[in-house]
Amino acid sequence: MQQEKRLTGKIAADRIRQMAVPRADPALLAAYRALGDASGVLSDVMDRLGIPGVVGASTLAPTLPGKVMVGTALTVRNVMQRGHEYEAARAVVNKMAEFEAHNLAQPDDVLVIQGVPGISNMGGISAQLGKRHGEVGAIVMGGVRDVAHSRSVGFPVWASEITPRTGKWRVETVEINGDVEIDGVRVCCGDIVFADDTGVCFIPIARAQEVLVMAQKTVKDEEIKCAAIDAGTHIADLPKSD
């Protein structure tokens, strides 16, 4: 049987921009998780600080609802493979290389893929491998498939499309750990990714502490307001936020 051709060795290495990703302190990631399903709060804070980086769940929908995911971005950029897809399929030419990104992963990483629309950029085996390497989930601008498989291993994925059409002979990975663009948002490897049922926030690592402090205060203010509402306080008398 003909062996499947994959990106390996020097070819794959040439496309890895950074071998060592700048990673946030685990305590910082834990503090973000403690915010709960706070993408709305983070979006407001990022607006006030002038930081772009929010994509709604109508664009990036979770395949495993009810999850809050926080981690460090490990980035992959895909493009359409040259040549005819059926000829590549017959020759079993596979130029996808997100597996190389999995090999660089550490616990609490999030795979962030700038993918190709209408085609799967990540399947169930890839999700299972990511889970084994300690990744907490994935963000894919483009198609994914094998959703039941990724759900079965508890690997949440936020994706813009779901399709059975494989990317094996249609997609080529051209860069790992470079900058990617997700719905107009620039994401760098090492940035913090926060995702819940409402959407996804990409937080530049250099601004992460600043965003966190404001978000923590906002969450506390909202808890006070909700308690006041439950106590029967009139809307005009609710505590004012800064």
Side-chain angles (χ1 to χ4, degrees), residues 153-222:
V153 297
F155 190 83
V157 179
W158 279 254
S160 59
E161 300 178 49
I162 297 174
T163 174
R165 297 182 72 227
T166 185
K168 291 175 185 175
W169 18 88
R170 296 182 172 96
V171 167
E172 179 176 358
T173 298
V174 294
E175 190 172 42
I176 295 171
N177 281 347
D179 293 354
V180 296
E181 184 175 306
I182 305 295
D183 195 38
V185 174
R186 179 185 176 186
V187 183
C188 304
C189 68
D191 286 348
I192 288 181
V193 183
F194 184 104
D196 60 18
D197 283 345
T198 306
V200 181
C201 300
F202 299 103
I203 305 155
I205 188 61
R207 308 291 299 275
Q209 186 63 45
E210 181 183 10
V211 171
L212 175 64
V213 170
M214 287 187 66
Q216 287 172 326
K217 185 180 185 308
T218 302
V219 167
K220 288 181 180 178
D221 289 346
E222 291 195 352

Side-chain angles (χ1 to χ4, degrees), residues 30-44:
Y32 268 96
R33 290 190 192 98
L35 297 173
D37 54 340
S39 63
V41 167
L42 289 170
S43 178
D44 291 353

